[in-house]
Amino acid sequence: MAMVLSSCAVAAGGVIAPAVTDAAAEGCYVDAFPPGGGTNIGGSPNRYKWDNTPYIGARYNRCNGYVYVIYGGYNATHYNVRWVAPGGPWEQGELDAGKGLWSWPARHGDYNLVVQACNRGGFLSRSKCTNWSPQLYLNTR
């Protein structure tokens, strides 16, 4: 899945980004929500955060079959993302801090996602990361 994560992050750079908001009038969207709570800071899709965490928002576009995840809010070197796809285990990957958008073709079912912002440590030291964002639930049926 790491290879898919990398290729999706690159593909999401700017070509796909407009599709996140263009089809709203067509009834194409299903937005994620945080069943465990979180502060809604607005946006399209709505973005959620806790104090001292990055924000995360997610949307499924029924018209093109893609999931879009919006993340950010920190001056970070990268973001860690954890997700569970329909029927799968939790997985973790790394997202580019400069992109702020990750997308992929969806499978039908339920997704859960969280992100944290990180800054790389020095030689032989670990990255320093924030706490995880609120967990989002997204239905892609």
Side-chain angles (χ1 to χ4, degrees), residues 43 47 51 78 85 87 92 109:
R47 293 157 176 95
D51 288 342
H78 65 283
Q92 183 169 325

Side-chain angles (χ1 to χ4, degrees), residues 60-135:
Y60 173 55
N61 184 325
R62 288 185 193 134
C63 296
N64 70 8
Y66 271 75
V67 169
Y68 298 90
V69 177
I70 308 291
Y71 59 92
Y74 273 80
N75 183 13
T77 58
H78 65 283
Y79 286 79
N80 289 333
V81 60
R82 287 184 181 164
W83 74 95
V84 62
W90 278 95
E91 300 184 53
Q92 183 169 325
E94 188 174 294
L95 299 171
D96 184 351
K99 299 263 188 244
L101 176 67
W102 176 39
S103 66
W104 67 89
R107 292 187 295 187
H108 292 293
D110 301 323
Y111 286 85
N112 287 277
L113 307 126
V114 294
V115 296
Q116 68 180 170
C118 300
N119 283 299
R120 298 206 191 287
F123 182 70
L124 296 179
S125 64
R126 298 173 50 127
S127 293
K128 295 184 192 266
C129 300
T130 65
N131 289 328
W132 291 97
S133 69
Q135 180 175 318

Side-chain angles (χ1 to χ4, degrees), residues 34 36-39 48-55 74 131-135:
T39 302
Y48 300 91
K49 67 183 293 325
W50 299 117
D51 288 342
N52 302 313
T53 72
Y55 63 76
Y74 273 80
N131 289 328
W132 291 97
S133 69
Q135 180 175 318

